[in-house]
Amino acid sequence: MTAPLRSEPTTVQVALGSRSYEIVIGRGLLTTLGARIAALRPGAKVVIVTDDNVARHHLDAAEASLRHAAVAFSRVIVPAGEASKSYRVFEQVCEAVIASRIERGDLVVALGGGVIGDLAGFAAAVVRRGLDYVQVPTTLLAQVDSSVGGKTAIDSAHGKNLVGAFHQPVLVLADTALLDTLPAREFRAGYAELVKYGLLGDSRFFAWLERNWRDVFAGGPAREHAIAESCRAKAAIVARDERETGDRALLNLGHTFGHALEAACGFSDRLLHGEAIAAGMALAFEFSARRQGLVPKSQAARAIRHLAEVGLPTTVRDIAGPPPPLDRLMDLIAQDKKVKRGMLTFILVRDIGAAFVEPGVDAREVRAFLSEKLAEP
Ligand SMILES: NC(=O)c1ccc[n+]([C@@H]2O[C@H](COP(=O)([O-])OP(=O)(O)OC[C@H]3O[C@@H](n4cnc5c(N)ncnc54)[C@H](O)[C@@H]3O)[C@@H](O)[C@H]2O)c1
Ligand SMILES: [Zn+2]
């Protein structure tokens, strides 16, 4: 399938009362950024926050759109990569936003992947006690996950995302054509978070992905559909539980095992976040299957087969380099924030599309399971 230059956009509502906003998804939408901002905030100025990779590919187009709509703007460009979610870069971004004479009523625009969304969103949350911001996500992960829901953060020496705020954007503009310049490996990693919505709550969407994933990768209307379905799923969960006191935890399917693997690999190129989550979801399905036979073995195998088919890791063996030691993985799992009174909380599954929060998982059971997994040839 060849992708058209433009398509009719799809709009998904995030229903959060006075903090409600729209996610607009479509091919070629970046050209409408300026007009949308001018309509949303007549006369507002804008500061674009982006990284050097994204700037190279897409900053000119974003700025042209703003200029065309007579929206005044300035820009802050930070180095690409997780290291920019630091106090130092955060300070630079805040100072640059202040220096640009942004006032209440003006807007911050986060043009980039999850790193930029988290960094610029957090700066917007605190500069002048809160500025509005627009998310223009440029990675698949950001379009289906991090740009929606209002979680913003930077990293602490103690761990990732430990300093942050809930701050909802006023608009999310997901131009699916921006993903054409994304490295294939980054796209595939983002796809893991997209499959997650099928696996956790929507077996029909999962079955659709099994049939159509090639078209999602190719970039035609199937890509828009898959992103819109994912945003709908996330928006519904966030609308029910904005601050993660309940249901929102389901979005952590695969994340307890996944975070441990990611941390054991040093948050490096060895294992991208989405890759870790693919392996983590596969482990969550296998763990559920052997635990009082929660999920039928055939369905666990089916979930894992799809992840493997698109080229995502599904076992510890699939990760390059020496496997992480069992003790290290168990330490990392115990440090995870989802631990209460010695019992581990996992997102487990009854079936494809039927995840649930299980707060009473004994660490010994996890240890026995992982030790078997690590021993597999
Ligand atoms: N706030 C949330 O709810 C939430 C949810 C999930 C993840 N996150 C955060 O998101 C971050 C990961 O996001 P990510 O995977 O998007 O990483 P990222 O922002 O680092 O982007 C990945 C790489 O792709 C490059 N890139 C981005 N868009 C591109 C494009 N269109 N063309 C070419 N290159 C492009 C970037 O420069 C970077 O090198 C993590 O920090 C994670 O903590 C936040
Ligand atoms: Zn994730």
Side-chain angles (χ1 to χ4, degrees), residues 141 145 193 196 251-253 255 259 262 273-274 277:
L141 179 135
D145 189 358
E193 301 279 6
K196 185 182 77 179
L251 297 172
N252 293 325
L253 176 62
H255 280 61
H259 279 156
E262 203 183 357
H273 174 75
I277 293 326

Side-chain angles (χ1 to χ4, degrees), residues 51 53 82 85 113-115 118 138-139 146 151 161 178 181:
D51 75 30
N53 277 336
E82 182 71 26
K85 279 173 61 173
V115 164
D118 280 9
T138 65
T139 63
S146 59
K151 279 192 184 177
N161 297 325
L178 302 184
T181 58

Side-chain angles (χ1 to χ4, degrees), residues 100-368:
S100 70
R101 308 241 162 95
I102 278 287
E103 287 162 24
R104 292 267 186 103
D106 293 334
L107 291 168
V108 173
V109 171
L111 174 70
V115 164
I116 290 299
D118 280 9
L119 176 69
F122 185 39
V126 297
V127 169
R128 292 180 174 267
R129 299 197 181 84
L131 296 168
D132 286 342
Y133 74 116
V134 172
Q135 289 271 18
V136 184
T138 65
T139 63
L140 182 58
L141 179 135
Q143 294 195 351
V144 300
D145 189 358
S146 59
S147 70
V148 176
K151 279 192 184 177
T152 73
I154 57 172
D155 300 333
S156 139
H158 294 276
K160 274 184 50 133
N161 297 325
L162 290 179
V163 180
F166 283 96
H167 188 47
Q168 301 290 346
V170 294
L171 171 70
V172 180
L173 198 66
D175 180 346
T176 58
L178 302 184
L179 307 181
D180 292 347
T181 58
L182 196 62
R185 188 178 170 199
E186 292 286 351
F187 188 92
R188 194 181 303 120
Y191 184 83
E193 301 279 6
L194 192 153
V195 178
K196 185 182 77 179
Y197 297 107
L199 292 177
L200 76 86
D202 189 344
S203 59
R204 281 181 50 199
F205 181 46
F206 179 77
W208 184 90
L209 288 170
E210 285 180 309
R211 294 192 303 277
N212 296 290
W213 67 271
R214 286 182 184 80
D215 294 337
V216 175
F217 278 66
R223 180 184 289 176
E224 264 106 87
H225 175 75
I227 292 171
E229 281 302 303
S230 301
C231 288
R232 262 183 218 113
K234 183 157 185 185
I237 291 174
V238 168
R240 285 203 298 275
D241 178 21
E242 187 180 3
R243 290 187 171 246
E244 195 165 330
T245 51
D247 262 12
R248 190 162 177 170
L250 294 176
L251 297 172
N252 293 325
L253 176 62
H255 280 61
T256 301
F257 287 125
H259 279 156
L261 292 170
E262 203 183 357
C265 293
F267 295 102
S268 66
D269 275 359
R270 213 179 128 195
L271 189 66
L272 301 180
H273 174 75
E275 294 170 342
I277 293 326
M281 289 191 295
L283 290 170
F285 267 84
E286 284 192 74
F287 184 74
S288 300
R290 50 176 257 158
R291 201 178 198 234
Q292 299 123 24
L294 264 179
V295 59
K297 281 216 161 58
S298 60
Q299 293 300 83
R302 187 179 154 209
I304 294 166
R305 200 183 317 122
H306 181 58
L307 294 167
E309 176 176 40
V310 307
L312 284 163
T314 56
T315 64
V316 182
R317 264 169 300 133
D318 290 341
I319 301 166
L326 179 60
D327 285 337
R328 172 96 174 107
L329 287 178
M330 288 308 297
D331 279 351
L332 288 162
I333 287 174
Q335 279 165 28
D336 198 89
K337 58 183 183 250
K338 293 162 226 86
V339 185
K340 273 188 199 133
R341 284 176 221 97
M343 287 307 237
L344 304 170
T345 296
F346 272 79
I347 311 304
L348 298 184
V349 281
R350 291 197 180 83
D351 207 339
I352 287 176
F356 66 100
V357 182
E358 171 55 271
V361 177
D362 194 320
R364 284 169 301 189
E365 193 187 344
V366 178
R367 190 180 181 91

